[in-house]
Amino acid sequence: MRRTVFNEDHEAFRETLRAFIEAEVVPVYDEWFAAGQAPRDFYHKLAELGVFGIRVDEEYGGAGIDSYKFEAVMYEETARAGVSFGGSGVHVLLGLPYIKMLATDEQKKRYLPKFVTGEEMWALAMTEPGTGSDLAGMKTTAKLSEDGTHYVLNGAKTFITGGVHADRVIVCARTSAPTAEDRRFGISLFAVDTKSEGYSIGRKLDKLGLKTSDTAELAFVDVKVPAEDLLGEENKGFYYLGHNLASERWGIAYGAYAQAKAAVRFAKEYVQDRTVFGKPVAHFQNTKFELAACQAEVDAAEAVVDRALEALDAGELTPAEAASAKLFCTEVAHRVIDRCLQLHGGYGFMNEYPIARLYADNRVNRIYGGTSEIMKSIIAKDMGL
């Protein structure tokens, strides 16, 4: 079926991006994989390409295009090539929505020009050791000084993608105790300068997949955060987090769809080239049936993410719809990638083949941004159950 979400501008961007990936990423991707992260200077190349400023207003150096469709193209093209842009994805998908929604004009003037150029990379720190999806249970605190000039931040975060290279991190912390009526009350958001005294990066975490993204533990010991770096209002952080989780979950859903689509492409190419018993693997009926079933699932996932993308651009994507898209697409990707790896036989288990890396990268999609079980709870609640 012909897709209608993309126009000529998106396709022109796709061509530019595909050429960039072939020239700047594919030749060195194995080095990134071995190092466990993309180099920091690569982010400057992404900035020069303009990818950080697409949804940033022109007055701050961006393109002023209020659409996620260019990001959708990036998901598709990186998956198609079997690569990633390291931990930079959180910079735009997670960091930018909070700046656009919460920052004052003064804050935008300070933050956004450096955001667009990649001079300051952003990350988001929500998860803490022992809390997982229960964000209301966070223990990190931020106490306002007596003179009101700064907050004192103490605590720890974990699983922070982009945490090694980040120059600013949106840190979620308790500024007030929860109430008996609402345990989510009392959380605030801060744009923390990672060069601040008392801010430290712990382990760069050794993950099953997403090897080229820098994921870290963070610690805060009496970190002084200027009052002017509070994002939004005090104690309303949980509401802000909930509001932006829809776009985050759309991103995970779209990324999973793109990975599943790429897996079918990798498997199709492999079975056409690989010969068994004197015939291409593609010749066998089982191969045809397996890939046909995978393609049907990818087609269904495409319809789901395209519908969610249009709703997101229109500002109409609800939390339940985002949860539904994430649940469906991540489960589809799990099934499709597993079956496509099986068609590779023993070579599918080798990291030199993109399907193996894709298999490992995909697994976290059903965990981060809210587990599949949390997604089911959100959907069920929306159903009145």
Side-chain angles (χ1 to χ4, degrees), residues 16 22 30 38 55-56 63 78-79 89 106 109 196 203 242-244 290 292 322 350 355 383 385:
T16 299
E22 288 298 321
D30 286 345
R55 289 192 290 111
V56 175
T78 51
E106 183 276 330
K109 290 177 183 178
S196 302
R203 293 182 302 152
H243 182 274
N244 283 334
E290 283 293 289
M350 301 296 111
I355 193 68
M383 295 170 65
L385 299 174

Side-chain angles (χ1 to χ4, degrees), residues 242-243 245-247 249 308 311-312 315-324 378 382:
H243 182 274
L245 275 173
S247 61
R249 287 167 178 162
L312 181 64
E316 298 172 354
L317 184 64
T318 68
E321 290 169 343
S324 179
I378 294 170
D382 186 66

Side-chain angles (χ1 to χ4, degrees), residues 32-254:
W32 297 3
F33 190 85
Q37 63 185 34
R40 179 65 173 80
D41 61 4
F42 171 69
Y43 298 159
H44 293 297
K45 294 180 180 180
L46 285 176
E48 290 171 4
L49 191 65
V51 300
F52 294 157
I54 292 172
R55 289 192 290 111
V56 175
D57 290 343
E58 293 183 44
E59 64 182 296
Y60 305 114
I65 301 173
D66 191 19
S67 172
Y68 284 81
K69 292 183 179 180
F70 291 94
E71 287 169 50
V73 172
M74 283 189 272
Y75 281 120
E76 292 186 9
E77 290 305 308
T78 51
R80 179 186 181 277
V83 301
S84 80
F85 287 161
S88 65
V90 301
H91 181 65
V92 174
L93 185 65
L94 301 189
L96 185 58
Y98 289 96
I99 301 173
K100 293 183 69 172
M101 179 174 72
L102 303 176
T104 63
D105 289 341
E106 183 276 330
Q107 287 175 322
K108 289 178 180 178
K109 290 177 183 178
R110 283 195 291 124
Y111 299 152
L112 286 174
K114 293 179 180 179
F115 181 100
V116 170
T117 63
E119 182 179 345
E120 281 192 352
M121 297 297 296
W122 287 61
L124 176 65
M126 293 189 288
T127 306
E128 296 183 2
T131 60
S133 296
D134 181 20
L135 297 179
M138 68 178 61
K139 304 298 183 184
T140 297
T141 60
K143 303 296 184 184
L144 186 63
S145 62
E146 292 186 3
D147 61 5
T149 60
H150 64 273
Y151 291 81
V152 180
L153 181 68
N154 283 283
K157 300 290 181 179
T158 193
F159 307 145
I160 309 308
T161 302
V164 174
H165 286 321
D167 302 288
R168 279 201 184 260
V169 177
I170 300 173
V171 177
C172 313
R174 282 210 163 274
T175 45
S176 298
T179 66
E181 297 78 21
D182 186 3
R183 61 190 294 267
R184 299 171 296 182
F185 173 82
I187 295 171
S188 300
L189 307 184
F190 299 89
V192 180
D193 187 337
T194 62
K195 297 184 294 295
S196 302
E197 184 177 354
Y199 181 105
S200 63
I201 301 171
R203 293 182 302 152
K204 181 167 73 69
L205 300 173
D206 183 16
K207 307 182 298 297
L208 170 68
L210 301 180
K211 290 291 189 179
T212 62
S213 69
D214 50 311
T215 304
E217 296 174 331
L218 306 178
F220 322 112
V221 179
D222 294 333
V223 177
K224 291 184 178 179
V225 182
E228 55 266 30
D229 284 329
L230 170 71
L231 283 174
E233 297 182 38
E234 262 195 12
N235 303 322
K236 291 188 176 181
F238 198 95
Y239 164 76
Y240 301 142
L241 293 172
H243 182 274
N244 283 334
L245 275 173
S247 61
E248 178 183 351
R249 287 167 178 162
W250 164 82
I252 297 170
Y254 208 100

Side-chain angles (χ1 to χ4, degrees), residues 267-295:
K268 179 182 175 182
E269 292 175 352
Y270 180 82
V271 299
Q272 289 174 327
D273 292 337
R274 176 70 168 166
T275 300
V276 177
F277 304 124
K279 299 178 181 179
V281 176
H283 177 81
F284 296 97
Q285 186 181 63
N286 179 69
T287 303
K288 297 176 182 178
F289 282 5
E290 283 293 289
L291 282 176
C294 288
Q295 183 62 52

